[in-house]
Amino acid sequence: MAPIPGSGLAKGLAVTLRTMTKKAVTEQYPDVQPDLPPRTRGVIGLFEENCTVCMLCARECPDWCIYIDSHKETVPPAAPGGRERSRNVLDRFAIDFSLCMYCGICIEVCPFDALFWSPEFEYAETDIRDLTHERDKLREWMWAVPAPPALDPGAEEPKELAAARRTAEKLAAQADPREGTT
């Protein structure tokens, strides 16, 4: 059976008419900020106080886009008669976002929760060399990180909290011997 001449044109016009009758979904982006999901992957933020310069993030990064420099400092003993300790001090923490593929491996391997996803996404630069952001800029993005979602009310209590609660109850019972007797 031969197609009717002009049927393709009629189908195309029908699609056009259906589209014209629907309301346009236009985001006025520069003037109105988009509503992003709560855990959007925008850029990586650094919580510098938690960083121990363990270098796990830089070693595990498949793109080698994390640059860390540090030096060792001697810390005096905490108690008299103790020995001095040495600790790493962060000098430079930078991420080259022109190389980063936003895989999140660095955030996952950080044992001290120093790296987080920030929903900030407006960090475009006119020069590719300006996409290497130092720790000051990464720290600014940290404050845009949303709080983690609340725990499920029906979930079990975390083991760490349960152990800490039991220990606190034991210490309270030892401190007040009248509670243990009847």
Side-chain angles (χ1 to χ4, degrees), residues 168-179:
E169 288 171 356
K170 286 180 185 176
L171 290 174
Q174 291 173 357
D176 191 9
R178 290 176 288 152
E179 286 185 12

PDB file of all heavy atoms in Angstrom, residues 168-179:
ATOM      1  N   ALA A 168      28.377   5.344  79.181  1.00  0.00           N
ATOM      2  CA  ALA A 168      27.937   6.473  79.995  1.00  0.00           C
ATOM      3  C   ALA A 168      27.002   6.017  81.105  1.00  0.00           C
ATOM      4  O   ALA A 168      27.077   6.514  82.240  1.00  0.00           O
ATOM      5  CB  ALA A 168      27.261   7.521  79.115  1.00  0.00           C
ATOM      6  N   GLU A 169      26.127   5.068  80.804  1.00  0.00           N
ATOM      7  CA  GLU A 169      25.214   4.556  81.832  1.00  0.00           C
ATOM      8  C   GLU A 169      25.983   3.814  82.935  1.00  0.00           C
ATOM      9  O   GLU A 169      25.671   3.950  84.115  1.00  0.00           O
ATOM     10  CB  GLU A 169      24.174   3.631  81.194  1.00  0.00           C
ATOM     11  CG  GLU A 169      23.147   4.371  80.354  1.00  0.00           C
ATOM     12  CD  GLU A 169      22.245   3.435  79.556  1.00  0.00           C
ATOM     13  OE1 GLU A 169      22.468   2.197  79.599  1.00  0.00           O
ATOM     14  OE2 GLU A 169      21.335   3.940  78.891  1.00  0.00           O
ATOM     15  N   LYS A 170      26.997   3.035  82.546  1.00  0.00           N
ATOM     16  CA  LYS A 170      27.814   2.328  83.534  1.00  0.00           C
ATOM     17  C   LYS A 170      28.560   3.305  84.434  1.00  0.00           C
ATOM     18  O   LYS A 170      28.616   3.142  85.652  1.00  0.00           O
ATOM     19  CB  LYS A 170      28.816   1.403  82.844  1.00  0.00           C
ATOM     20  CG  LYS A 170      28.213   0.159  82.261  1.00  0.00           C
ATOM     21  CD  LYS A 170      29.275  -0.688  81.592  1.00  0.00           C
ATOM     22  CE  LYS A 170      28.675  -1.882  80.896  1.00  0.00           C
ATOM     23  NZ  LYS A 170      29.695  -2.653  80.159  1.00  0.00           N
ATOM     24  N   LEU A 171      29.130   4.341  83.815  1.00  0.00           N
ATOM     25  CA  LEU A 171      29.865   5.344  84.597  1.00  0.00           C
ATOM     26  C   LEU A 171      28.931   6.095  85.537  1.00  0.00           C
ATOM     27  O   LEU A 171      29.289   6.399  86.676  1.00  0.00           O
ATOM     28  CB  LEU A 171      30.592   6.315  83.669  1.00  0.00           C
ATOM     29  CG  LEU A 171      31.779   5.730  82.902  1.00  0.00           C
ATOM     30  CD1 LEU A 171      32.326   6.758  81.913  1.00  0.00           C
ATOM     31  CD2 LEU A 171      32.864   5.282  83.863  1.00  0.00           C
ATOM     32  N   ALA A 172      27.727   6.380  85.064  1.00  0.00           N
ATOM     33  CA  ALA A 172      26.757   7.069  85.919  1.00  0.00           C
ATOM     34  C   ALA A 172      26.338   6.178  87.080  1.00  0.00           C
ATOM     35  O   ALA A 172      26.166   6.647  88.206  1.00  0.00           O
ATOM     36  CB  ALA A 172      25.539   7.490  85.099  1.00  0.00           C
ATOM     37  N   ALA A 173      26.197   4.870  86.807  1.00  0.00           N
ATOM     38  CA  ALA A 173      25.818   3.934  87.877  1.00  0.00           C
ATOM     39  C   ALA A 173      26.950   3.789  88.897  1.00  0.00           C
ATOM     40  O   ALA A 173      26.686   3.679  90.094  1.00  0.00           O
ATOM     41  CB  ALA A 173      25.468   2.569  87.295  1.00  0.00           C
ATOM     42  N   GLN A 174      28.194   3.819  88.469  1.00  0.00           N
ATOM     43  CA  GLN A 174      29.333   3.733  89.379  1.00  0.00           C
ATOM     44  C   GLN A 174      29.493   5.003  90.191  1.00  0.00           C
ATOM     45  O   GLN A 174      29.876   4.953  91.364  1.00  0.00           O
ATOM     46  CB  GLN A 174      30.635   3.456  88.605  1.00  0.00           C
ATOM     47  CG  GLN A 174      30.708   2.087  88.004  1.00  0.00           C
ATOM     48  CD  GLN A 174      31.921   1.914  87.119  1.00  0.00           C
ATOM     49  OE1 GLN A 174      32.687   2.853  86.908  1.00  0.00           O
ATOM     50  NE2 GLN A 174      32.092   0.715  86.573  1.00  0.00           N
ATOM     51  N   ALA A 175      29.174   6.122  89.614  1.00  0.00           N
ATOM     52  CA  ALA A 175      29.298   7.397  90.308  1.00  0.00           C
ATOM     53  C   ALA A 175      28.241   7.546  91.387  1.00  0.00           C
ATOM     54  O   ALA A 175      28.469   8.180  92.423  1.00  0.00           O
ATOM     55  CB  ALA A 175      29.209   8.563  89.323  1.00  0.00           C
ATOM     56  N   ASP A 176      27.081   6.976  91.183  1.00  0.00           N
ATOM     57  CA  ASP A 176      25.984   7.061  92.150  1.00  0.00           C
ATOM     58  C   ASP A 176      25.654   5.646  92.627  1.00  0.00           C
ATOM     59  O   ASP A 176      24.802   4.974  92.044  1.00  0.00           O
ATOM     60  CB  ASP A 176      24.767   7.733  91.509  1.00  0.00           C
ATOM     61  CG  ASP A 176      23.702   8.084  92.522  1.00  0.00           C
ATOM     62  OD1 ASP A 176      23.988   7.966  93.738  1.00  0.00           O
ATOM     63  OD2 ASP A 176      22.605   8.483  92.104  1.00  0.00           O
ATOM     64  N   PRO A 177      26.298   5.163  93.692  1.00  0.00           N
ATOM     65  CA  PRO A 177      26.082   3.778  94.135  1.00  0.00           C
ATOM     66  C   PRO A 177      24.670   3.524  94.667  1.00  0.00           C
ATOM     67  O   PRO A 177      24.242   2.395  94.752  1.00  0.00           O
ATOM     68  CB  PRO A 177      27.132   3.581  95.218  1.00  0.00           C
ATOM     69  CG  PRO A 177      27.528   4.940  95.666  1.00  0.00           C
ATOM     70  CD  PRO A 177      27.271   5.864  94.511  1.00  0.00           C
ATOM     71  N   ARG A 178      23.917   4.569  95.023  1.00  0.00           N
ATOM     72  CA  ARG A 178      22.576   4.370  95.544  1.00  0.00           C
ATOM     73  C   ARG A 178      21.640   3.841  94.480  1.00  0.00           C
ATOM     74  O   ARG A 178      20.662   3.182  94.773  1.00  0.00           O
ATOM     75  CB  ARG A 178      22.023   5.683  96.098  1.00  0.00           C
ATOM     76  CG  ARG A 178      22.728   6.119  97.371  1.00  0.00           C
ATOM     77  CD  ARG A 178      22.224   7.448  97.833  1.00  0.00           C
ATOM     78  NE  ARG A 178      22.736   8.466  96.912  1.00  0.00           N
ATOM     79  CZ  ARG A 178      22.155   9.609  96.645  1.00  0.00           C
ATOM     80  NH1 ARG A 178      21.034   9.936  97.243  1.00  0.00           N
ATOM     81  NH2 ARG A 178      22.694  10.482  95.824  1.00  0.00           N
ATOM     82  N   GLU A 179      21.907   4.130  93.187  1.00  0.00           N
ATOM     83  CA  GLU A 179      21.010   3.669  92.105  1.00  0.00           C
ATOM     84  C   GLU A 179      21.070   2.165  91.959  1.00  0.00           C
ATOM     85  O   GLU A 179      20.087   1.530  91.604  1.00  0.00           O
ATOM     86  CB  GLU A 179      21.389   4.327  90.776  1.00  0.00           C
ATOM     87  CG  GLU A 179      20.992   5.768  90.689  1.00  0.00           C
ATOM     88  CD  GLU A 179      21.282   6.337  89.314  1.00  0.00           C
ATOM     89  OE1 GLU A 179      21.571   5.584  88.379  1.00  0.00           O
ATOM     90  OE2 GLU A 179      21.225   7.562  89.168  1.00  0.00           O
TER      91      GLU A 179
END
